[in-house]
Amino acid sequence: MNKIFLKLIIFFLVLSIASPTALAEFDYPSPSDAASDAMDQASSDLGIDNAALKDAISTLNVSNMKQTAPQVSLEFAPTNPKTGDQISAIASPTYFMNDPSNLYFTWFLKHSYCKDASSGEDDYNKKCDLNNDKKVDTEDYKIEAMRIIANGGFDWNKALGKDNPKCQATETQPTYCSLNNLYATSSNDSDGYKAVFGGDDQRGKSTHCYAHNVDSGNEYELPSCKHLFPDTNNDKTVGDENFGEEEELFWRTDPTRKDTAGTGRPDEANVAGLGAIQFKWNYQAGDKVGVAIEGVSTTPTQYKDSSYKTMWAMSKNKCSAGSVKSAPTDDKIITTTVTTRTASNYPIISTSTITTETAITVQKYRLSRTKLDGTLVFEESPYDTATTSSTSTAQAGSSDSTNKIVTTIVATRTAVNDSLKATSVVTTTTTTTIDSYSVTSDSGILPLVYTTTPSTSTASTTSTDSENRFDAEKDAVNKCLKDNLVEPLSGGESKRFDIVLSRYPENPINDPSENEKGDAITINSIITNSEDQTYIKYKWEVYKSYETDLSTGDWGEPLLKSQIPGAGQTVGIGLNSFKFNLNFKKPIPKFIKISLLASEQISKNTVNEGRSDLIIPISSTSNKIGLYQTTVSDSLSLSIDAEKERCEEGLDSIVCPVTKNEIVALKVDKANFTGFSWSFDGRPIEPLSYDEDTKTCLFGECGRDGEQTNVVYLPILKDEDETYEIEMSADNADGERITLSKTLVVADPKINILSDDMNASRPTLLGYYVDPINTNPNPVAQDASLWPDYNDNEFEALPAATIKLGANFSGISLNNIQWSLDGAILNEETAPIIGADIATDGKMAFPATKKLGGVYTISASALYTQNTNVKKFLNKYWGLQLDDFYEKQITDTITIKLTDYFSDQTVPLVSQKNTGGKKILASLVSGIPAYINFLFKIILTSVIFLLSSWTILSFFPKPNEN
Amino acid sequence: MSFFVAASCLLLIYFFPANNAIQKYTAALFFFFLLPVFYAKIILRKNLAAFGLNLNNARRGLLYGAGMLVFLLIIGYILTKQPEFTNNYRLPGAVISNFWAFVFYEMILVNIMLFLQTFFFTGFVLFSSTKYLGRLSILAPAIVFSLFVLFSTNIEWKLAPIISILALGGIVSYKSRSFVYSYLAGLLFMFFLDAYIIFMLK
């Protein structure tokens, strides 16, 4: 046995010193590691980036917590009002799906002399109790504001006529005391309005109301929807399509007019705050104002219908009334622990024992619970009181085994009347344990259970899981309003951005054809009053309209990103410009509207925002201005070389480079237009070929009496980096005036070597760069913002391939190019020696005879100068002197390395979804030679090993193992 | 001589260059399985059943295998509570998000590699050393594996599952005279372990 251990030690010593390099690289193939390697390799072949996949899953798992709830910011004008000034509060709602004109703006105005108080309390001011419910609260503040909005300056005192209380005075009576009371007669001005949950444009849709928890990011569905319209403390509900004379009087509207405020909406709609984006009132020192906006958020519900979440935005976007962070699911039985407690100056005892014999009030509370399908399983029991002189006991609730939901009378709370404050035990805790869910007491934002009296009672729950429902009543949202009062004078409030949008080009052309050569339109934004440009969040939306009349203002839903041709990122920080291609297919929109919503988070509760729109009329044509080379004959006749169109693709199609002292031709399809008018930089391009004296065409085509045709010639006389803005206006077949444009830039002449056969040689891939604006039609790793970046001077080629190269000379094909290969000039004599071929069109081809890893150095050079005829032509027609021309030798050099695969072939593409099988097959096939080599080596090693073992053992008479 | 063969197989695994997953699997197939098998069949002229490739002692094997699985699950639970382990344990992204990818991963990829390694360590190594080490050969698989890893690379947390399988597998194989039961227990363990880690990730 000692020998064995000795052998073991020797073995491992040999192993450890044998190969330091191998030691460093060896990675033991544990089952999970080896299997992961195999899966990763398969995934890689399929184009799946595992890291990106994990990130995507992680992001997806929490994506529902990242939603942005509807918000609103308030802006005041003037910003420093004095008492008596008329002040405007303007609301800027964001993250609502609706147009602001369809939202309900419930404004509330609190004067300094109005304080939350009930009748009998010192702070109670009867003047502020507008709904006569014996207490001053948010409902009264709402009434105050909405009365102002609905009244619109109408003299309601006069309408009361002789029934006005002022007419009871015996002294000088107002003149209207002789008039009849208009409110006494039946109101038939048809000013009723039926309010719809989620906004006026949601009529007929299913309604589901939600509240947003800022802390967790979750959104909870409310058991029932209730508007936040003012509570008038009578049966005259706002928004019930019934607006009789009593309501007219209450809201102080004109009983004879449908639209007292002149907003274009009926009185009851004004009371409901429909489209009331602005609230004006006469400021009094200490006034506070707020607004709650009801509409549908941009987030859809998970119901199988067309509904979006009905939500409310509040002026400070906060709510501290207490909340549930989450609630249990309906199909799980829960454990509920609810603690009721008194105000902090009372003792809290953790048992239900009552130590006094004095009569106490017992109150029962019950939670309600709603199933996921919306069925209300238990309603909240009415507030229940009883009087007892005995000890109060906690009561567990009943269970419902059918739907596995438990309703629990969560607390039997003992409260005290005034005389028992000092000694009463006031806390009771009831726990019902049924399943593993635990709901424990915590603070939050929206209260689970509300009680109106005694006001010292609170109860709240949270759980450790997150769900989409919770139990709450109307007050859950309504109670938040008091936290959202804003003082017009307070600093640090949100402000509205001044946004200026501009577009390029001015007259964009849409191309509905399959060529998709419509203008690339760029919208730039400038925000002058932001705190820090760097952190502004931009959200771009594009709408389209088929109407010729935009007065309806109905733009419908914004287009999805996938519906905007060539659109890049639409939302992001620092995205101050937006670009897309006008390639809308039929039916072609008449107008498109680009809307920018910019926001800047100043502090936790302050967001500067602004919205600006740009409406662009769309001209649609498949035609474009083509740029062509020209030829000047010996007789100085200028003609277009229609075979040589330049700048058809890529960036050159947007801004086309031209060189100084050349003559270019600009042409559009003659068949589609009449009445041509060409201009550059706002100046007309004179028809060159028309001789005024002889009234004839000197060369080419020209219109009658010197009219412009579909072709014009332009000499490039500006200096380097200067531009030409070309415009062509003409009437299309429909009689519509179309304007096409093109931009030329004068560039330094240069030569670029290009591969003429991408299967044999191509530029080396350097990596990828991110372009958030332009979309790559062949997205890389599912990211369309990534674009490949190629090295212009380093190429790759496959061994034994015939490498074909061409040279691009500032967009012009040249045929007098001088090629050299590895320093040797190629001409008619030298080229055949190495098997190279130089074609008459200037292209060069040669066989790659070097071994794998070999490098070729290739140069192409040419002398840039205008030919003699062009010089003469420019001299004759534009007066250029011969010493104005220049010559320049230009060269480009590349290296080509022979490799067994191209660097961009290893890049996974999204399109692999359909070609994944082929890609795997290709990967397998390409790996076969290496694998056969590996297999051969391993088999050979094994055979040698076995033979060696057999040989060694043959020297022994008998193997030990036997 | 068997020791020489086993050591040579490990040396070959160590030195033989395998550049991608399929080559690693091929190398493992040859050096953990085919070489020992040919050595046993051609040179030793022994039946592979002598090296644990049998289903004899089924009752004892299943009993010990079940016990081994219980211990492994306990070890696995403890391991998943160790951040060093969970942070270094590898699971492909596709396996986390796709059930059928998970099944393919466990039943094909993990299964093949686990079979090859349990055959080699708890079969070939263990039963080759039984004659010389007696009961102590129970420790042979885990010790040989650990020493090999210790001298060839680093012992990392991610190797804890296979070390546990080989350590407990030695007992099961010795008692049942078959490595098949320890292999099955190990496979189930890997399945549950990976499933639980995916559960934790989600």
Short mmCIF file of all heavy atoms in Angstrom, two decimals, chain A residues 7 11-12 15 23 28-29 32-33 35-37 39-41 50 54 57 931 934 941 945 953 960-961, chain B residues 2-3 7-8 11 14 17 21 23-24 26 43 90-93 105 117 131 145 148 151-152 158:
data_model
loop_
_atom_site.label_atom_id
_atom_site.label_comp_id
_atom_site.label_asym_id
_atom_site.label_seq_id
_atom_site.Cartn_x
_atom_site.Cartn_y
_atom_site.Cartn_z
N LYS A 7 3.55 6.03 -5.38
CA LYS A 7 3.28 6.25 -6.80
C LYS A 7 2.35 7.45 -7.01
O LYS A 7 2.52 8.25 -7.93
CB LYS A 7 2.63 5.00 -7.41
CG LYS A 7 3.60 3.86 -7.61
CD LYS A 7 2.83 2.64 -8.14
CE LYS A 7 3.76 1.44 -8.31
NZ LYS A 7 3.00 0.25 -8.71
N PHE A 11 3.23 10.72 -9.06
CA PHE A 11 2.36 11.06 -10.19
C PHE A 11 1.92 12.53 -10.14
O PHE A 11 2.03 13.27 -11.12
CB PHE A 11 1.15 10.14 -10.19
CG PHE A 11 0.01 10.66 -11.01
CD1 PHE A 11 0.13 10.79 -12.40
CD2 PHE A 11 -1.18 11.03 -10.41
CE1 PHE A 11 -0.92 11.26 -13.14
CE2 PHE A 11 -2.23 11.50 -11.16
CZ PHE A 11 -2.10 11.62 -12.53
N PHE A 12 1.48 12.92 -8.99
CA PHE A 12 0.98 14.29 -8.90
C PHE A 12 2.11 15.32 -8.91
O PHE A 12 1.92 16.44 -9.38
CB PHE A 12 0.10 14.46 -7.66
CG PHE A 12 -1.23 13.78 -7.83
CD1 PHE A 12 -1.58 12.69 -7.07
CD2 PHE A 12 -2.11 14.23 -8.81
CE1 PHE A 12 -2.79 12.07 -7.25
CE2 PHE A 12 -3.32 13.61 -8.99
CZ PHE A 12 -3.68 12.53 -8.21
N LEU A 15 2.85 15.71 -12.39
CA LEU A 15 1.75 16.47 -12.99
C LEU A 15 1.91 17.97 -12.75
O LEU A 15 1.72 18.79 -13.64
CB LEU A 15 0.43 15.97 -12.41
CG LEU A 15 -0.84 16.55 -12.98
CD1 LEU A 15 -0.98 16.18 -14.44
CD2 LEU A 15 -2.04 16.05 -12.19
N LEU A 23 -0.94 23.92 -16.62
CA LEU A 23 -1.52 24.04 -15.28
C LEU A 23 -2.37 25.29 -15.16
O LEU A 23 -3.46 25.27 -14.60
CB LEU A 23 -0.38 24.09 -14.25
CG LEU A 23 -0.80 24.11 -12.79
CD1 LEU A 23 -1.27 22.75 -12.38
CD2 LEU A 23 0.32 24.59 -11.90
N TYR A 28 -10.89 21.76 -15.04
CA TYR A 28 -11.45 20.42 -14.97
C TYR A 28 -12.90 20.42 -15.46
O TYR A 28 -13.70 21.25 -15.04
CB TYR A 28 -11.40 19.90 -13.53
CG TYR A 28 -11.93 18.48 -13.46
CD1 TYR A 28 -11.12 17.42 -13.85
CD2 TYR A 28 -13.23 18.22 -13.08
CE1 TYR A 28 -11.60 16.13 -13.85
CE2 TYR A 28 -13.72 16.93 -13.06
CZ TYR A 28 -12.91 15.88 -13.44
OH TYR A 28 -13.40 14.62 -13.46
N PRO A 29 -13.22 19.49 -16.35
CA PRO A 29 -14.59 19.47 -16.91
C PRO A 29 -15.58 18.81 -15.96
O PRO A 29 -15.99 17.67 -16.18
CB PRO A 29 -14.42 18.67 -18.20
CG PRO A 29 -13.29 17.75 -17.91
CD PRO A 29 -12.37 18.46 -16.97
N SER A 32 -21.31 20.00 -14.56
CA SER A 32 -22.06 21.23 -14.79
C SER A 32 -21.28 22.19 -15.66
O SER A 32 -21.83 22.85 -16.54
CB SER A 32 -22.42 21.90 -13.46
OG SER A 32 -21.24 22.13 -12.73
N ASP A 33 -19.95 22.25 -15.47
CA ASP A 33 -19.13 23.15 -16.27
C ASP A 33 -19.08 22.70 -17.72
O ASP A 33 -19.25 23.50 -18.64
CB ASP A 33 -17.71 23.19 -15.71
CG ASP A 33 -17.47 24.46 -14.93
OD1 ASP A 33 -18.46 25.17 -14.66
OD2 ASP A 33 -16.30 24.73 -14.60
N ALA A 35 -21.13 20.77 -19.27
CA ALA A 35 -22.46 20.90 -19.89
C ALA A 35 -22.76 22.35 -20.19
O ALA A 35 -23.34 22.68 -21.23
CB ALA A 35 -23.52 20.32 -18.95
N SER A 36 -22.35 23.25 -19.29
CA SER A 36 -22.59 24.67 -19.53
C SER A 36 -21.81 25.15 -20.74
O SER A 36 -22.31 25.92 -21.56
CB SER A 36 -22.19 25.48 -18.30
OG SER A 36 -23.04 25.19 -17.23
N ASP A 37 -20.55 24.66 -20.85
CA ASP A 37 -19.76 25.02 -22.03
C ASP A 37 -20.47 24.60 -23.30
O ASP A 37 -20.54 25.35 -24.27
CB ASP A 37 -18.38 24.35 -21.96
CG ASP A 37 -17.46 25.07 -21.00
OD1 ASP A 37 -17.76 26.22 -20.65
OD2 ASP A 37 -16.45 24.47 -20.60
N MET A 39 -23.69 24.01 -23.73
CA MET A 39 -24.90 24.81 -23.96
C MET A 39 -24.54 26.20 -24.45
O MET A 39 -25.18 26.74 -25.36
CB MET A 39 -25.70 24.93 -22.66
CG MET A 39 -26.53 23.72 -22.32
SD MET A 39 -27.82 23.39 -23.52
CE MET A 39 -29.01 24.63 -23.09
N ASP A 40 -23.49 26.76 -23.85
CA ASP A 40 -23.09 28.11 -24.27
C ASP A 40 -22.65 28.11 -25.72
O ASP A 40 -22.93 29.04 -26.48
CB ASP A 40 -21.95 28.63 -23.38
CG ASP A 40 -22.45 29.00 -22.00
OD1 ASP A 40 -23.69 29.07 -21.83
OD2 ASP A 40 -21.63 29.19 -21.10
N GLN A 41 -21.94 27.05 -26.09
CA GLN A 41 -21.49 26.97 -27.47
C GLN A 41 -22.68 26.85 -28.42
O GLN A 41 -22.73 27.51 -29.46
CB GLN A 41 -20.57 25.78 -27.63
CG GLN A 41 -19.75 25.85 -28.90
CD GLN A 41 -18.64 24.81 -28.90
OE1 GLN A 41 -17.99 24.58 -27.88
NE2 GLN A 41 -18.44 24.18 -30.03
N ASN A 50 -25.75 34.88 -23.81
CA ASN A 50 -26.30 34.44 -22.51
C ASN A 50 -26.34 35.57 -21.50
O ASN A 50 -27.29 35.68 -20.73
CB ASN A 50 -25.46 33.28 -21.98
CG ASN A 50 -25.84 31.99 -22.64
OD1 ASN A 50 -27.00 31.59 -22.57
ND2 ASN A 50 -24.91 31.37 -23.32
N LYS A 54 -29.73 36.79 -19.74
CA LYS A 54 -29.96 36.87 -18.29
C LYS A 54 -30.39 38.28 -17.90
O LYS A 54 -31.29 38.47 -17.10
CB LYS A 54 -28.69 36.47 -17.53
CG LYS A 54 -28.46 34.97 -17.52
CD LYS A 54 -27.18 34.66 -16.77
CE LYS A 54 -26.89 33.16 -16.82
NZ LYS A 54 -25.59 32.84 -16.24
N ILE A 57 -33.95 38.79 -18.89
CA ILE A 57 -34.91 38.11 -18.00
C ILE A 57 -35.03 38.87 -16.69
O ILE A 57 -36.12 39.10 -16.17
CB ILE A 57 -34.47 36.66 -17.77
CG1 ILE A 57 -34.61 35.86 -19.07
CG2 ILE A 57 -35.29 36.00 -16.67
CD1 ILE A 57 -33.95 34.51 -19.02
N TYR A 931 -12.25 18.84 -36.02
CA TYR A 931 -12.66 17.75 -35.13
C TYR A 931 -12.08 16.42 -35.60
O TYR A 931 -11.66 15.59 -34.79
CB TYR A 931 -14.19 17.69 -35.09
CG TYR A 931 -14.69 16.65 -34.09
CD1 TYR A 931 -14.53 16.86 -32.72
CD2 TYR A 931 -15.26 15.46 -34.52
CE1 TYR A 931 -14.95 15.92 -31.81
CE2 TYR A 931 -15.68 14.51 -33.62
CZ TYR A 931 -15.53 14.74 -32.26
OH TYR A 931 -15.94 13.80 -31.36
N PHE A 934 -8.68 16.30 -34.46
CA PHE A 934 -8.65 16.01 -33.02
C PHE A 934 -8.93 14.53 -32.75
O PHE A 934 -8.25 13.87 -31.97
CB PHE A 934 -9.71 16.88 -32.33
CG PHE A 934 -9.92 16.58 -30.88
CD1 PHE A 934 -9.09 17.12 -29.91
CD2 PHE A 934 -10.94 15.73 -30.46
CE1 PHE A 934 -9.27 16.84 -28.57
CE2 PHE A 934 -11.13 15.45 -29.13
CZ PHE A 934 -10.30 16.00 -28.18
N THR A 941 -3.46 8.38 -29.99
CA THR A 941 -2.90 8.39 -28.62
C THR A 941 -3.40 7.19 -27.84
O THR A 941 -2.63 6.50 -27.14
CB THR A 941 -3.32 9.68 -27.90
OG1 THR A 941 -2.93 10.79 -28.68
CG2 THR A 941 -2.69 9.77 -26.52
N PHE A 945 -1.21 4.15 -26.50
CA PHE A 945 -1.23 3.89 -25.06
C PHE A 945 -1.56 2.42 -24.78
O PHE A 945 -0.90 1.76 -23.96
CB PHE A 945 -2.27 4.81 -24.41
CG PHE A 945 -2.44 4.57 -22.94
CD1 PHE A 945 -1.54 5.10 -22.03
CD2 PHE A 945 -3.49 3.80 -22.46
CE1 PHE A 945 -1.69 4.87 -20.68
CE2 PHE A 945 -3.65 3.56 -21.11
CZ PHE A 945 -2.74 4.11 -20.22
N LEU A 953 3.19 -5.12 -20.40
CA LEU A 953 2.66 -6.27 -19.66
C LEU A 953 3.13 -7.60 -20.24
O LEU A 953 3.19 -8.60 -19.53
CB LEU A 953 1.13 -6.22 -19.66
CG LEU A 953 0.51 -5.24 -18.66
CD1 LEU A 953 -0.99 -5.17 -18.82
CD2 LEU A 953 0.87 -5.66 -17.23
N ASN A 960 -0.89 -8.53 -12.73
CA ASN A 960 -1.18 -8.59 -11.31
C ASN A 960 -2.67 -8.72 -11.03
O ASN A 960 -3.06 -9.33 -10.06
CB ASN A 960 -0.69 -7.30 -10.62
CG ASN A 960 0.82 -7.29 -10.54
OD1 ASN A 960 1.44 -8.35 -10.66
ND2 ASN A 960 1.39 -6.10 -10.38
N GLU A 961 -3.44 -8.07 -11.90
CA GLU A 961 -4.87 -8.02 -11.62
C GLU A 961 -5.51 -9.39 -11.60
O GLU A 961 -6.58 -9.59 -11.08
CB GLU A 961 -5.58 -7.15 -12.67
CG GLU A 961 -5.40 -5.66 -12.44
CD GLU A 961 -4.00 -5.20 -12.76
OE1 GLU A 961 -3.20 -5.99 -13.28
OE2 GLU A 961 -3.70 -4.03 -12.46
N SER B 2 -3.13 -1.28 -13.23
CA SER B 2 -4.38 -0.52 -13.33
C SER B 2 -4.18 0.90 -12.80
O SER B 2 -4.74 1.86 -13.34
CB SER B 2 -5.49 -1.21 -12.53
OG SER B 2 -5.74 -2.46 -13.10
N PHE B 3 -3.36 0.98 -11.76
CA PHE B 3 -3.07 2.32 -11.25
C PHE B 3 -2.37 3.16 -12.31
O PHE B 3 -2.68 4.33 -12.51
CB PHE B 3 -2.18 2.22 -10.00
CG PHE B 3 -1.58 3.54 -9.63
CD1 PHE B 3 -2.34 4.51 -8.99
CD2 PHE B 3 -0.26 3.83 -9.95
CE1 PHE B 3 -1.78 5.73 -8.69
CE2 PHE B 3 0.29 5.05 -9.65
CZ PHE B 3 -0.47 6.00 -9.01
N ALA B 7 -3.78 6.59 -13.76
CA ALA B 7 -2.99 7.83 -13.69
C ALA B 7 -2.73 8.38 -15.08
O ALA B 7 -2.78 9.59 -15.32
CB ALA B 7 -1.66 7.53 -12.97
N SER B 8 -2.48 7.46 -16.02
CA SER B 8 -2.23 7.91 -17.39
C SER B 8 -3.46 8.57 -17.99
O SER B 8 -3.36 9.56 -18.73
CB SER B 8 -1.82 6.71 -18.26
OG SER B 8 -0.67 6.12 -17.71
N LEU B 11 -3.56 11.96 -16.70
CA LEU B 11 -2.55 12.78 -17.36
C LEU B 11 -2.98 13.17 -18.76
O LEU B 11 -2.79 14.30 -19.20
CB LEU B 11 -1.22 12.00 -17.43
CG LEU B 11 -0.36 12.03 -16.18
CD1 LEU B 11 0.84 11.09 -16.34
CD2 LEU B 11 0.15 13.44 -15.91
N TYR B 14 -5.47 15.78 -18.71
CA TYR B 14 -4.83 17.04 -18.35
C TYR B 14 -4.08 17.66 -19.53
O TYR B 14 -4.17 18.86 -19.79
CB TYR B 14 -3.90 16.79 -17.17
CG TYR B 14 -3.12 18.01 -16.73
CD1 TYR B 14 -3.74 19.06 -16.08
CD2 TYR B 14 -1.74 18.08 -16.95
CE1 TYR B 14 -3.03 20.16 -15.68
CE2 TYR B 14 -1.02 19.19 -16.55
CZ TYR B 14 -1.66 20.23 -15.92
OH TYR B 14 -0.96 21.33 -15.52
N PRO B 17 -4.94 18.58 -25.60
CA PRO B 17 -5.59 19.87 -25.87
C PRO B 17 -6.99 19.70 -26.45
O PRO B 17 -7.17 19.10 -27.51
CB PRO B 17 -4.67 20.54 -26.90
CG PRO B 17 -3.97 19.42 -27.57
CD PRO B 17 -3.87 18.30 -26.58
N ALA B 21 -16.27 22.48 -26.62
CA ALA B 21 -17.09 21.58 -25.81
C ALA B 21 -17.10 20.17 -26.38
O ALA B 21 -16.94 19.18 -25.65
CB ALA B 21 -18.50 22.12 -25.72
N GLN B 23 -14.95 18.69 -28.21
CA GLN B 23 -13.65 18.04 -28.02
C GLN B 23 -13.45 17.64 -26.57
O GLN B 23 -12.86 16.60 -26.27
CB GLN B 23 -12.53 18.99 -28.47
CG GLN B 23 -12.52 19.19 -29.99
CD GLN B 23 -11.34 20.02 -30.47
OE1 GLN B 23 -10.45 20.36 -29.70
NE2 GLN B 23 -11.33 20.32 -31.77
N LYS B 24 -13.95 18.45 -25.64
CA LYS B 24 -13.85 18.08 -24.23
C LYS B 24 -14.66 16.81 -23.94
O LYS B 24 -14.24 15.94 -23.19
CB LYS B 24 -14.35 19.23 -23.34
CG LYS B 24 -13.36 20.37 -23.21
CD LYS B 24 -13.89 21.47 -22.31
CE LYS B 24 -12.89 22.62 -22.21
NZ LYS B 24 -13.41 23.73 -21.43
N THR B 26 -15.40 14.54 -26.12
CA THR B 26 -14.73 13.42 -26.78
C THR B 26 -13.54 12.95 -25.94
O THR B 26 -13.32 11.74 -25.76
CB THR B 26 -14.25 13.85 -28.18
OG1 THR B 26 -15.35 14.40 -28.89
CG2 THR B 26 -13.70 12.68 -28.95
N ILE B 43 -6.62 -6.09 -22.48
CA ILE B 43 -5.37 -6.45 -21.80
C ILE B 43 -5.65 -7.32 -20.58
O ILE B 43 -5.06 -8.38 -20.41
CB ILE B 43 -4.60 -5.18 -21.41
CG1 ILE B 43 -4.21 -4.44 -22.70
CG2 ILE B 43 -3.37 -5.51 -20.58
CD1 ILE B 43 -3.56 -3.12 -22.48
N ARG B 90 -22.20 27.59 -12.53
CA ARG B 90 -22.59 28.03 -13.88
C ARG B 90 -23.85 27.33 -14.36
O ARG B 90 -24.00 26.12 -14.23
CB ARG B 90 -21.46 27.72 -14.87
CG ARG B 90 -20.31 28.69 -14.78
CD ARG B 90 -19.28 28.36 -15.82
NE ARG B 90 -19.83 28.45 -17.18
CZ ARG B 90 -19.23 27.96 -18.25
NH1 ARG B 90 -18.09 27.35 -18.13
NH2 ARG B 90 -19.78 28.10 -19.44
N LEU B 91 -24.74 28.12 -14.87
CA LEU B 91 -25.92 27.58 -15.55
C LEU B 91 -26.14 28.43 -16.80
O LEU B 91 -26.17 29.66 -16.71
CB LEU B 91 -27.16 27.67 -14.66
CG LEU B 91 -27.37 26.52 -13.69
CD1 LEU B 91 -28.56 26.81 -12.79
CD2 LEU B 91 -27.59 25.21 -14.41
N PRO B 92 -26.28 27.80 -17.95
CA PRO B 92 -26.50 28.60 -19.17
C PRO B 92 -27.82 29.37 -19.11
O PRO B 92 -28.80 28.91 -18.52
CB PRO B 92 -26.55 27.55 -20.29
CG PRO B 92 -25.92 26.34 -19.70
CD PRO B 92 -26.18 26.39 -18.23
N GLY B 93 -27.83 30.54 -19.72
CA GLY B 93 -29.03 31.39 -19.70
C GLY B 93 -30.24 30.71 -20.31
O GLY B 93 -31.35 30.82 -19.81
N TYR B 105 -30.32 19.84 -21.22
CA TYR B 105 -29.08 20.10 -20.49
C TYR B 105 -28.82 19.01 -19.44
O TYR B 105 -27.72 18.46 -19.37
CB TYR B 105 -29.19 21.47 -19.83
CG TYR B 105 -28.08 21.84 -18.89
CD1 TYR B 105 -26.85 22.29 -19.37
CD2 TYR B 105 -28.25 21.77 -17.51
CE1 TYR B 105 -25.83 22.65 -18.51
CE2 TYR B 105 -27.23 22.12 -16.65
CZ TYR B 105 -26.02 22.56 -17.15
OH TYR B 105 -25.02 22.91 -16.29
N GLN B 117 -17.57 10.20 -15.68
CA GLN B 117 -16.72 10.45 -14.52
C GLN B 117 -17.02 9.47 -13.38
O GLN B 117 -16.11 9.04 -12.68
CB GLN B 117 -16.88 11.90 -14.06
CG GLN B 117 -16.37 12.86 -15.12
CD GLN B 117 -16.26 14.29 -14.63
OE1 GLN B 117 -16.17 14.53 -13.43
NE2 GLN B 117 -16.27 15.23 -15.56
N LYS B 131 -8.59 -4.37 -4.26
CA LYS B 131 -7.75 -5.51 -3.90
C LYS B 131 -6.61 -5.11 -2.96
O LYS B 131 -6.20 -5.87 -2.11
CB LYS B 131 -7.19 -6.12 -5.18
CG LYS B 131 -6.37 -7.36 -4.97
CD LYS B 131 -5.95 -7.93 -6.31
CE LYS B 131 -5.08 -9.16 -6.11
NZ LYS B 131 -4.62 -9.70 -7.39
N PHE B 145 -9.70 12.07 -7.11
CA PHE B 145 -10.25 13.23 -7.81
C PHE B 145 -9.74 14.54 -7.20
O PHE B 145 -9.29 15.45 -7.90
CB PHE B 145 -11.78 13.20 -7.74
CG PHE B 145 -12.43 14.41 -8.35
CD1 PHE B 145 -12.60 14.50 -9.72
CD2 PHE B 145 -12.85 15.47 -7.56
CE1 PHE B 145 -13.18 15.63 -10.29
CE2 PHE B 145 -13.42 16.61 -8.12
CZ PHE B 145 -13.59 16.67 -9.50
N PHE B 148 -6.10 15.12 -7.86
CA PHE B 148 -5.92 15.49 -9.28
C PHE B 148 -6.28 16.96 -9.51
O PHE B 148 -5.53 17.71 -10.12
CB PHE B 148 -6.78 14.58 -10.16
CG PHE B 148 -6.76 14.99 -11.60
CD1 PHE B 148 -5.61 14.87 -12.37
CD2 PHE B 148 -7.90 15.51 -12.21
CE1 PHE B 148 -5.60 15.25 -13.70
CE2 PHE B 148 -7.89 15.90 -13.53
CZ PHE B 148 -6.73 15.76 -14.28
N PHE B 151 -3.76 19.35 -7.77
CA PHE B 151 -2.48 19.53 -8.44
C PHE B 151 -2.62 20.08 -9.86
O PHE B 151 -1.66 20.59 -10.41
CB PHE B 151 -1.71 18.20 -8.48
CG PHE B 151 -1.08 17.86 -7.16
CD1 PHE B 151 -1.71 17.03 -6.26
CD2 PHE B 151 0.16 18.42 -6.81
CE1 PHE B 151 -1.13 16.73 -5.04
CE2 PHE B 151 0.73 18.12 -5.59
CZ PHE B 151 0.09 17.28 -4.69
N SER B 152 -3.76 19.91 -10.44
CA SER B 152 -3.90 20.32 -11.84
C SER B 152 -4.53 21.70 -12.00
O SER B 152 -4.26 22.40 -12.94
CB SER B 152 -4.73 19.30 -12.62
OG SER B 152 -6.02 19.22 -12.06
N LYS B 158 -17.43 25.41 -7.22
CA LYS B 158 -18.28 24.81 -8.23
C LYS B 158 -18.03 23.31 -8.37
O LYS B 158 -18.86 22.59 -8.95
CB LYS B 158 -18.05 25.50 -9.58
CG LYS B 158 -16.66 25.35 -10.14
CD LYS B 158 -16.51 26.11 -11.44
CE LYS B 158 -15.10 25.92 -12.02
NZ LYS B 158 -14.90 26.66 -13.25
#
